[in-house]
Amino acid sequence: LMDGVRNTWAEQGEPRQNFPEGAVQEFKVYVAQYPAEFGLYMGGLVTVATKSGTNTLHGEAFEYWRNEALNRDNPFQQQAEALEHTGNPFNRNQFGADIGGPIVKDRTHYYLAYERTQTTGSYTIFTAAPQDYGALQGTFSQPSYDQMITARVDHQISNSQSLFVRYAQEWNRLTFQGCSGASESFCYDGLIPRRSIVAGHTWTPGPTLVNEFRFQYA
């Protein structure tokens, strides 16, 4: 659940879309004894709340880098490289930034977050029988990227009512999943777009009563 709405593909069980790390305010993992409002769940449940802005301008930036020089080849890659004298290219940059602040002090605030993971990867097929499967053997390129943005605006209507709107979009590019050599069948190369818009209203009419409304289009 992201900001009180479901973020799961019903058919596959995986997240409907991912979110930048900088957009996450807090999360909680339930493994048993769910609260009553979280019905219809058989396995684990994770609830996540995204960040909102404050009266103070604040933000952060980061990058996490990996490269083939920092990795050790597995036995299959070592066999293929010894046979064909080819390398196993890999380079991964995960970077992002986020910023939040006031639009109207004490009333309206914004928060923006961006993240991208760019991977120049490869995969290796080693058959030990090149006379039969030579066209399928070798190290093949597998570039991909995952790019995400999140924008949120919060507004304090009164001391007892607040409103927020959050838009999120993800571009997930997968390239040559399962393709190799002369056999280009049963593979995938394409862009998976994922987006959602969420609106929420919270009203506290009394010290022991809270009313929440959530709407999502995904």
Side-chain angles (χ1 to χ4, degrees):
L1 295 175
M2 293 291 303
D3 295 322
V5 296
R6 185 171 297 188
N7 185 47
T8 306
W9 286 108
E11 297 84 0
Q12 299 169 315
E14 67 176 10
R16 179 181 293 274
Q17 67 180 114
N18 298 301
F19 292 82
E21 292 182 22
V24 176
Q25 173 67 33
E26 60 184 37
F27 67 93
K28 186 173 183 179
V29 179
Y30 295 90
V31 295
Q33 298 179 337
Y34 304 154
E37 64 266 30
F38 300 141
L40 304 179
Y41 288 96
M42 298 290 290
L45 171 66
V46 180
T47 61
V48 181
T50 57
K51 289 180 181 178
S52 58
T54 66
N55 286 332
T56 303
L57 184 68
H58 61 284
E60 60 184 4
F62 73 93
E63 175 164 356
Y64 177 55
W65 174 69
R66 290 173 58 195
N67 186 269
E68 69 235 36
L70 309 175
N71 294 346
R72 183 178 185 273
D73 290 342
N74 62 49
F76 299 101
Q77 293 164 340
Q78 293 173 3
Q79 291 275 8
E81 290 173 13
L83 183 66
E84 299 191 6
H85 306 289
T86 59
N88 184 40
F90 180 82
N91 191 73
R92 183 179 187 270
N93 290 86
Q94 182 180 1
F95 55 92
D98 55 272
I99 188 171
I103 299 176
V104 178
K105 188 176 181 180
D106 296 326
R107 300 280 288 180
T108 308
H109 304 88
Y110 72 91
Y111 208 90
L112 306 172
Y114 169 82
E115 183 176 327
R116 181 182 175 95
T117 301
Q118 180 80 41
T119 304
T120 302
S122 63
Y123 62 96
T124 300
I125 296 178
F126 181 71
T127 67
Q131 67 276 16
D132 297 321
Y133 302 103
L136 306 178
Q137 186 165 281
T139 299
F140 304 94
S141 177
Q142 191 179 31
S144 65
Y145 67 80
D146 191 22
Q147 181 169 265
M148 300 167 284
I149 60 169
T150 299
R152 172 170 171 153
V153 174
D154 291 78
H155 179 66
Q156 191 72 29
I157 302 173
S158 65
N159 289 336
S160 61
Q161 295 189 64
S162 62
L163 177 72
F164 82 89
V165 177
R166 187 255 292 158
Y167 177 79
Q169 186 161 346
E170 177 183 11
W171 296 265
N172 187 207
R173 179 78 180 188
L174 301 177
T175 307
F176 300 124
Q177 305 295 300
C179 300
S180 60
S183 176
E184 295 291 337
S185 61
F186 306 111
C187 59
Y188 178 81
D189 182 3
L191 180 66
I192 304 175
R194 303 172 182 181
R195 63 185 66 89
S196 65
I197 184 168
V198 175
H201 177 268
T202 301
W203 176 37
T204 309
T208 60
L209 185 63
V210 176
N211 181 77
E212 287 191 331
F213 172 80
R214 295 288 187 270
F215 169 83
Q216 174 176 228
Y217 175 80

